[in-house]
Amino acid sequence: MTKIAIGVDIGGTNTAVGAVDREGKVLFKTSIKTPQKSENPNGDKGISKKLLSDYIGKLSGVIADAIQTVEGINKDVNITGIGIGAPNGNYYNGSIEFAPNLPFVGIVNFVNLISVKFPDIEVIKLTNDANAAAIGEQIYGGAKNMKNFAMFTLGTGIGSGLVVNGELVYGHDGFAGECGHTMLVPNGRLCGCGSWGHLEAYCSASGMKRTAFELLVKYNTTDSPIADKTYNELDPKMIFDAAEAGDKIALEVFELTGKYLGMGLADTIHHLSPEAIFLFGGITAAGDLIFKPTIDSMNEHLLPIFSKRNIQVLPSELPMGDAAIVGSSALVWKELEK
Amino acid sequence: MTKIAIGVDIGGTNTAVGAVDREGKVLFKTSIKTPQKSENPNGDKGISKKLLSDYIGKLSGVIADAIQTVEGINKDVNITGIGIGAPNGNYYNGSIEFAPNLPFVGIVNFVNLISVKFPDIEVIKLTNDANAAAIGEQIYGGAKNMKNFAMFTLGTGIGSGLVVNGELVYGHDGFAGECGHTMLVPNGRLCGCGSWGHLEAYCSASGMKRTAFELLVKYNTTDSPIADKTYNELDPKMIFDAAEAGDKIALEVFELTGKYLGMGLADTIHHLSPEAIFLFGGITAAGDLIFKPTIDSMNEHLLPIFSKRNIQVLPSELPMGDAAIVGSSALVWKELEK
């Protein structure tokens, strides 16, 4: 008997579905488009029932396909559950609540909607994407033997998942672990959430771009490849390539991003004293360029009782391309192994 | 049968001992001097065995007195355990570790030392003072029915105790919950810990004094009662009295202290999404003067999912004078009720 969990990741552009075994191996995957806000005939006023039911219909269809496909490969398969990762996903009630980049206005109980379609599947759980990544790290990755750790996902935004005493921290309402929105610079840069100076405004992909342009302005640099890119063109990969080629501006972007991120990690350590912090996202491919300044800054800002412990900052061991579905599938094993 | 827990609070100046019932009523209390760093013949090099054994002898004596006294009042009494609160107290191993203001250099296992003196008492637990306050709030105070909350103790320093899923967060090594040392202003004021810009440097008693003098400098104010105090004289009570009398500088000190504290509380909410945050310390007596700007700033810096929930910021319900022994005694009930 091969046990399989279905992982679903609801992203702003696509919704990915995968069939994942207990070791984190993806046996099958597929995806559909996530409906866009522009497709909601009610705009910001409310959810369109038709838009939602069409989407749930399509999503259930590809989940059924995934189940059928793995059952076709191996007759002796047992589908243990469905784990769903989504922005503003609330583990407690199974809802996506007020997700700014999705067309599901208000509170939509996805677990109920999917349960109706799969009445025989007992475990259907939902959480936000960064929490799913943290559980993925615990079930399949580098945190297998850890009881206290944090996961930071660095991308368009910054997400986080916090594990205390072996359990994910959901807090009073299910929304704990929003470390991307902790304060870094009072009255600093505008954050995507509408507030100011949050960590996300400095260490996300656009945060790095903002730092690069800030440095061009500071030094009035003209002989950097970054000075030949428009604000809308520049992305972290270009900054990385420039840094690899020795460009001073790009190198300082990594230095500063690490400095900022290290301060953020120090705040999380002062809260939770984790064994390790995992970083997930394309930026981790830059290796020492980002890890060294991050760790140096983190230790510089820690109380001595923490800095002398050399708390590890590690790259996530989740597979980059499949991390979202793998992380979501981990919710199922986590639930079964409680 | 009346059940009694002994609470011990090891402070920099005094060590207080109390006998406390399950409702938090202090039936008897006493105290001895805590030995000072200047009394340690080995200086910073190591602990003096004699100094330590003299202190443990005296401390055990007053604990025995407390037990005898309550047994004298009521024959039908049951001593359930001893709870100890101490700076840098480590719950996991019962040690006080590298406490900067105590003469016990290095790591000293207090629970072992006290256990030897009271072999019949099974529950002897130690944690840091702010954690003890949080447990006190949960056992006796306003957090009785809460599973997720935070306690901030505002005094000479800023301590914190974090409760997640009903349990105090100790982290990997026992030292979680040092929110006073989260970053408020990068490269800001020197903190007592040696790092820069931490919350404690802005919202502790001396933080308020620093803000007051910063404002005198900013406005070059001469007609404030604060301008007639020396840097070494000014304390939060004087600032409070001046604010009550309408002094603009003093009013702005409270406004700014609340603004800073609100940012710190927002960071904790972004980590843990608590139901409420409790504030403990003399400053809470200032009421709206401190609570209003704190709550306003907290909400201003929160993600909308949190700010619309109106997370409560409440004064601790622990009795101000006895809070330390009451909090420490709560460790015993918490342990017994696990």
Side-chain angles (χ1 to χ4, degrees):
Chain A
M1 175 77 74
T2 307
K3 291 187 173 181
I4 297 291
I6 301 295
V8 177
D9 178 65
I10 300 176
T13 310
N14 293 308
T15 298
V17 173
V20 185
D21 73 10
R22 181 62 185 80
E23 306 310 309
K25 195 177 157 198
V26 180
L27 303 183
F28 174 80
K29 63 179 172 178
T30 182
S31 72
I32 56 172
K33 292 270 171 220
T34 305
Q36 299 300 297
K37 290 184 93 162
S38 57
E39 297 170 46
N40 182 7
N42 301 336
D44 283 344
K45 294 200 190 74
I47 188 160
S48 155
K49 282 191 181 170
K50 183 174 181 313
L51 183 89
L52 181 62
S53 73
D54 283 356
Y55 173 61
I56 293 290
K58 277 184 206 159
L59 176 55
S60 304
V62 291
I63 293 174
D65 286 349
I67 294 174
Q68 235 174 357
T69 305
V70 290
E71 285 175 344
I73 299 167
N74 180 347
K75 288 284 165 220
D76 197 24
V77 90
N78 173 10
I79 305 297
T80 53
I82 302 171
I84 307 167
N88 285 34
N90 186 332
Y91 172 83
Y92 288 146
N93 58 19
S95 298
I96 298 177
E97 305 192 8
F98 308 99
N101 298 316
L102 294 176
F104 315 123
V105 184
I107 300 178
V108 178
N109 196 310
F110 265 76
V111 166
N112 284 355
L113 294 170
I114 298 291
S115 295
V116 170
K117 304 283 185 180
F118 298 93
D120 296 339
I121 295 182
E122 276 182 32
V123 177
I124 302 182
K125 287 284 171 184
L126 177 147
T127 190
N128 89 25
D129 31 8
N131 289 344
I135 295 175
E137 202 68 43
Q138 192 181 28
I139 293 287
Y140 308 119
K144 267 179 196 159
N145 300 312
M146 293 185 187
K147 291 278 186 197
N148 295 279
F149 69 93
M151 159 69 87
F152 276 65
T153 59
L154 307 166
T156 311
I158 294 186
S160 67
L162 308 172
V163 172
V164 166
N165 289 331
E167 295 302 325
L168 202 106
V169 178
Y170 289 111
H172 181 59
D173 56 1
F175 291 119
E178 287 290 355
C179 297
H181 299 277
T182 54
M183 176 68 62
L184 186 76
V185 180
N187 304 313
R189 297 179 185 169
L190 178 63
C191 182
C193 72
S195 188
W196 302 85
H198 288 172
L199 184 66
E200 178 170 299
Y202 294 81
C203 300
S204 61
S206 68
M208 290 183 72
K209 179 177 80 173
R210 292 161 89 167
T211 302
F213 278 87
E214 206 167 64
L215 291 173
L216 289 180
V217 169
K218 178 178 175 186
Y219 299 121
N220 199 28
T221 308
T222 54
D223 63 346
S224 161
I226 291 173
D228 294 319
K229 299 288 176 193
T230 69
Y231 196 76
N232 284 333
E233 273 172 347
L234 190 69
D235 66 26
K237 178 70 169 63
M238 294 172 191
I239 302 171
F240 174 69
D241 289 342
E244 285 275 279
D247 178 64
K248 280 185 185 170
I249 295 287
L251 287 167
E252 192 167 339
V253 170
F254 277 96
E255 196 66 37
L256 284 173
T257 305
K259 186 179 159 191
Y260 298 140
L261 183 58
M263 291 180 192
L265 302 190
D267 280 359
T268 295
I269 293 166
H270 283 130
H271 276 84
L272 301 178
S273 187
E275 182 171 353
I277 297 181
F278 292 87
L279 303 183
F280 177 83
I283 193 180
T284 61
D288 273 357
L289 264 181
I290 187 66
F291 279 91
K292 191 175 180 310
T294 299
I295 293 168
D296 287 350
S297 162
M298 177 186 88
N299 284 322
E300 187 189 328
H301 292 96
L302 283 174
L303 285 177
I305 43 165
F306 296 120
S307 56
K308 71 180 173 208
R309 180 151 72 75
N310 287 320
I311 295 169
Q312 292 190 82
V313 181
L314 301 166
S316 165
E317 293 183 12
L318 294 181
M320 187 69 76
D322 295 332
I325 49 178
V326 167
S328 303
S329 73
L331 264 174
V332 175
W333 308 118
K334 180 81 184 164
E335 205 62 27
L336 291 172
E337 290 163 20
K338 260 185 184 168
Chain B
M1 174 79 74
T2 305
K3 292 186 174 183
I4 297 290
I6 301 295
V8 177
D9 177 66
I10 301 176
T13 309
N14 293 308
T15 298
V17 173
V20 185
D21 73 12
R22 181 60 185 82
E23 308 309 311
K25 194 176 158 197
V26 179
L27 303 182
F28 175 81
K29 63 180 175 177
T30 181
S31 71
I32 57 172
K33 292 269 170 219
T34 306
Q36 299 300 296
K37 289 185 95 163
S38 58
E39 296 170 46
N40 182 8
N42 301 334
D44 283 344
K45 293 198 188 74
I47 187 156
S48 155
K49 282 190 182 170
K50 182 172 183 310
L51 182 87
L52 180 63
S53 72
D54 283 356
Y55 173 60
I56 293 291
K58 276 184 209 158
L59 176 56
S60 304
V62 289
I63 292 173
D65 286 350
I67 293 173
Q68 235 174 359
T69 305
V70 290
E71 285 174 345
I73 299 168
N74 178 348
K75 287 283 168 223
D76 197 24
V77 91
N78 172 12
I79 305 296
T80 54
I82 302 171
I84 307 168
N88 285 32
N90 187 332
Y91 172 83
Y92 287 146
N93 59 20
S95 296
I96 297 177
E97 306 193 7
F98 308 100
N101 299 318
L102 295 176
F104 315 122
V105 185
I107 299 177
V108 178
N109 195 311
F110 265 76
V111 166
N112 284 355
L113 294 168
I114 298 292
S115 295
V116 169
K117 304 283 183 179
F118 298 92
D120 297 337
I121 295 183
E122 276 180 32
V123 176
I124 302 182
K125 287 285 170 183
L126 176 148
T127 191
N128 88 25
D129 32 8
N131 289 344
I135 295 175
E137 202 67 42
Q138 192 181 29
I139 293 286
Y140 307 118
K144 266 179 194 161
N145 298 312
M146 292 186 188
K147 291 278 185 196
N148 294 279
F149 69 94
M151 161 69 86
F152 276 65
T153 59
L154 307 165
T156 313
I158 294 186
S160 68
L162 308 172
V163 173
V164 166
N165 289 331
E167 295 301 325
L168 202 105
V169 177
Y170 289 110
H172 181 60
D173 56 2
F175 290 120
E178 287 289 356
C179 297
H181 299 278
T182 55
M183 174 68 63
L184 187 77
V185 179
N187 305 313
R189 297 178 185 169
L190 178 64
C191 182
C193 73
S195 189
W196 301 85
H198 288 172
L199 184 66
E200 178 169 298
Y202 293 81
C203 300
S204 61
S206 68
M208 290 183 72
K209 179 178 78 173
R210 291 160 91 167
T211 301
F213 277 88
E214 208 168 62
L215 291 173
L216 288 181
V217 169
K218 178 178 174 187
Y219 299 121
N220 200 29
T221 309
T222 54
D223 62 347
S224 162
I226 291 174
D228 293 319
K229 298 291 175 190
T230 70
Y231 197 76
N232 283 334
E233 273 171 351
L234 189 69
D235 66 28
K237 179 69 170 63
M238 295 172 191
I239 302 172
F240 174 68
D241 290 342
E244 286 273 278
D247 179 64
K248 281 185 184 170
I249 294 287
L251 286 167
E252 192 168 339
V253 170
F254 276 97
E255 196 66 38
L256 284 173
T257 305
K259 186 178 159 190
Y260 299 142
L261 183 57
M263 290 182 192
L265 301 190
D267 279 0
T268 295
I269 293 167
H270 284 130
H271 277 84
L272 301 179
S273 187
E275 183 170 354
I277 297 181
F278 292 87
L279 303 183
F280 177 84
I283 192 180
T284 62
D288 272 357
L289 264 182
I290 187 64
F291 280 90
K292 189 173 180 313
T294 299
I295 293 168
D296 287 349
S297 161
M298 177 186 87
N299 284 323
E300 187 190 328
H301 292 95
L302 283 176
L303 285 178
I305 44 167
F306 296 120
S307 56
K308 72 180 169 205
R309 181 151 71 75
N310 288 320
I311 294 168
Q312 291 191 83
V313 181
L314 302 166
S316 167
E317 293 183 12
L318 295 180
M320 188 70 75
D322 294 332
I325 49 177
V326 167
S328 302
S329 73
L331 264 174
V332 175
W333 308 117
K334 179 84 184 160
E335 204 64 25
L336 291 172
E337 290 162 22
K338 263 184 182 170

